[in-house]
Amino acid sequence: MAQMICLQRWKWMHLDAFSHYAFMSATCSNQYGLMDGLLEELEIQQLHSVSQSTIYLLRTWSLSLYTIPRQIKCFIIVGAVASANGSALAKIGCTTMLAAVKLEVMTPKLESPDEGCIAIDFHMPPICSPLVRPGRPAEAAPVITKQLTDIILSSGMIDLKELSLVSGKAAWLAYLDIYCLDADGSLFDAALLSAVAAFSHLQIPVVSLNDNGRIVLISEENSGAMWEKEPVNKEKRKLKLDTLPFSLTCALHKNYILADPSAEEESIMETYLTVVLDSSLQLVSLNKPGGPGLAQTSAIQDCVALTIKRVKELQKMLNEAISDMEVD
Amino acid sequence: MAGKISNTPATYTPSPTSQNKKRPSIVTGSDWVRPDGRGLHQCRPAFLRTGAVNSASGSAYAEFGNTKVIVSVFGPRESKKAMMYSDIGRLNCNVSYTSFATPIRGQASDSKDLSSMLHKALEGAIILESFPKTTVDVFALVLESGGSDLPVVISCASLALSDAGIRLYDIVASVSMSCLGMNLVIDPVSEEESYQDGNLMITCMPSRNEVTQMTVTGEWSTPKIHEAMQICLDACTKLGMIMRSCLKEAVSAPEE
C-alpha cells in the first residue's frame, strides 16, 4: 500500500531572534550612557511593542557610535532552484530572498547585434509580510526593482557581449526574478546579494542552431552521438563576472547610525543611506531617499567605512558558498 | 508581464532537440514505470518544516520531491472595513506561483482556480467561531512545481495554520491520484500528470475520518474510483501522522 518516508533535507537555518539578542548581550560593552539617550528617543516614538530589555540588548555601541550589522545570521545557498540556470537563496537576519536566473533566446536589437539583455524583476509575494496584500503590489517592489536594475547594469558586473549566441540573430535574455520570502528590513541588501550569488552560479547551457533558425538545447545523451549542427558553444560555461557589487543600508537617526536595520528598526528611524561598493572597493552607488535627517559628511564617511567591512565579509561568504556548491 | 512586452522582444526557451510530445505507448498497455522509480502506490518522501517565515503568525515549508511550497498564515486580523459584520471568522486564501516554478517561464497553471479550491478544502477544518469579526489570511507561494501541487499546498497550509495557533478540528492532509490507462498512480509528478486520463484528489481529516474535499476529473469507472479513494485515504492517514510528528518536533525542539 501507500508508503511515506520523512526526510531531513535542504537545511533551513532558522535562527530565532532571541538567540541573536543573547549573543549581543554577551558582547555588550558598558555603553549604557549612550544607550539611555537612544532609549529616550525610542520611547518618545512609542515603541510599546518592544520591551526595554530587547532594546538594551539590540546593539553594541563602540565609542565612535556605529554598530555591527547582522553578520552572524547571514548565509547564502547557491543552486537552490534546480529548474533555473542559476539561483541562490540569501538570508540576512530574517530577511530571506530567493533569486533565480532563467535564460531565454531573443533576437538582439539592431543597434547592438552582439549583446544580450538582462531583465530584472523583484517580487514581494503576500507570504513575506503582513503589509502586502494579494493583488496589490507592495510599494517597495518597483523601487527595489529599479535600484537593482540600475546597479547591476551600471556596475559592469556582466558584459552583455557574453550573452550573445549568433551575432545579429540570437542572444540570451537573462530573466532574473527575485522573490522576497520573508521581509525583515534591509530588503535591498539581501536582494542584491542574492542576485549577485545567482549570477555567480549561472551556467549557460550548450545549444546549437537548427535548420529553422531556432536555437535548441543539446541534451547530454546526444553529445556522444552525431551532431547535426555545430554547437554554438562547446560546453556549459559560467559567466565571467568582473567585479561584484555588495551593499549596506544604514539607518540614520539623529547622531546614531544603525547598520543593517531590521523592519522594526526601519519603522522608527528617520531616514537611511544605502552604499553600494564593488569588490575592488570602488563606489558604485550612494542612495539617500530623502527623509528629515540630514546626513553630515562624517556620517556618510562612517557609513562607507562600515560598507567596506561588510563587502569583505560578504565576498568571503559568497566564495565559500560557491566552492561548497562545486564540491558537491 | 503585459507591460514588458512592449520593451522586450518576444523570447522563447530553447527546447531539447529530442522532445517526445506523444504519450509513450507503454502507458496504454502494461505497467507504467514511474520516472523516479517509485512503486505505483508509493508517495514521494515528504520534508515538512514549520516556522519558515518569521514575519508571519504561522508558516510552513513543504517539499515533496520537486514540488516546493511555502505557506504563510496571517491573523486573525481585522477584516476589511467594507465587510459586513460576521459572527464567525473569515478565511481568505491566495495561491501564487513564482515565475521559475514551471520549466517554461511564466506558465503558471490555473493559479486562480487553486485559491478557491484551497479555501474550500480548509474551510471545513477551521473552527471559524473561535475568531468572530476577524479574518485569517492564508497565502501560498509555489517555489517549484513538480506535480501534484494543490495537495501539497493544502497539507502545507494546514501545518501553517497549526503553527499560527488557529483552532482546527483536525489537521488536513491531501493526496492525489492519477489514472494512466489501466494503472492508478498516487502522487503523480508533472510528467505523469501531463499523460493522465483522470485525476482524483482527496482532502481529509485523518483522525476524524472525514473528507473535506474530493475532486474527480477525467475518465473513471466506479470500481476504479472506490479503489482510488481507498488508497488515497490510507495515504492521507500516513501523511497525517508525519505532519503530527513534524508539529511535535517543532514544539519540543529547544530554541536554538
Side-chain angles (χ1 to χ4, degrees), chain B residues 81-123:
Chain B
K81 304 264 179 356
M83 303 272 200
M84 278 171 47
Y85 171 81
S86 154
D87 54 0
I88 57 167
R90 269 186 260 265
L91 177 65
N92 177 28
C93 296
N94 187 271
V95 179
S96 56
Y97 277 71
T98 57
S99 57
F100 43 81
T102 50
I104 300 177
R105 188 174 184 272
Q107 206 192 40
S109 49
D110 307 321
S111 65
K112 289 195 196 100
D113 158 55
L114 292 186
S115 306
S116 132
M117 293 183 74
L118 175 64
H119 186 283
K120 296 202 172 68
L122 295 175
E123 215 174 23

Side-chain angles (χ1 to χ4, degrees), chain B residues 153-165:
Chain B
V153 170
I154 294 173
S155 312
C156 190
S158 89
L159 264 188
L161 283 166
S162 320
D163 188 45

Side-chain angles (χ1 to χ4, degrees), chain A residues 1-2 5 7 9-10 12 14 19 83 100 102 104-105 126-128 130 133 177 179 182-183 214-215 217 222, chain B residues 11-13 15 17 41 45-47 54-55 61 63 72 74 77 98-100 102-103 105 137 139 238 256:
Chain A
M1 296 305 268
I5 314 165
L7 276 192
R9 264 194 330 127
W10 219 66
W12 265 87
H14 176 70
S19 68
S83 58
K102 277 206 134 172
E104 293 205 348
V105 184
I127 57 163
C128 72
R133 295 268 172 195
D177 291 295
Y179 280 83
D182 196 349
R214 280 177 82 89
I215 300 278
L217 265 183
N222 286 348
Chain B
T11 61
Y12 60 90
T13 318
S15 49
T17 42
H41 294 165
F47 174 69
N54 208 254
S55 331
Y61 170 74
E63 201 177 302
S72 289
F74 295 102
R77 52 183 178 179
T98 57
S99 57
F100 43 81
T102 50
R105 188 174 184 272
D137 288 318
F139 299 134
K238 297 209 171 82
E256 290 168 42

Side-chain angles (χ1 to χ4, degrees), chain A residues 10-13 75-81 87-91 97-99 197-198 321 325:
Chain A
W10 219 66
K11 287 172 275 195
W12 265 87
M13 276 169 62
F75 72 91
I76 309 172
I77 295 178
V78 281
V81 176
S87 60
L89 175 82
K91 195 161 171 169
M97 298 280 166
L98 179 62
M325 176 70 189

Side-chain angles (χ1 to χ4, degrees), chain B residues 39-51:
Chain B
L40 292 184
H41 294 165
Q42 186 181 2
C43 288
R44 290 175 289 194
F47 174 69
L48 302 162
R49 185 69 74 89
T50 55

Side-chain angles (χ1 to χ4, degrees), chain B residues 58 60 69-74 88-95 113-131 136-140 150-164 166-174 201-206 208 210-215 243:
Chain B
V69 173
I70 294 186
V71 177
S72 289
V73 169
F74 295 102
I88 57 167
R90 269 186 260 265
L91 177 65
N92 177 28
C93 296
N94 187 271
V95 179
D113 158 55
L114 292 186
S115 306
S116 132
M117 293 183 74
L118 175 64
H119 186 283
K120 296 202 172 68
L122 295 175
E123 215 174 23
I126 302 181
I127 305 179
L128 293 168
E129 291 79 14
S130 64
F131 50 94
V136 163
D137 288 318
V138 178
F139 299 134
L150 185 58
V152 176
V153 170
I154 294 173
S155 312
C156 190
S158 89
L159 264 188
L161 283 166
S162 320
D163 188 45
I166 309 282
R167 295 180 67 197
L168 303 171
Y169 288 114
D170 186 16
I171 48 164
V172 173
S174 174
M201 184 187 83
I202 284 200
T203 311
C204 79
M205 298 196 273
R208 293 173 70 100
E210 287 175 3
V211 173
T212 64
Q213 187 186 52
M214 179 166 132
T215 313
M243 286 163 70

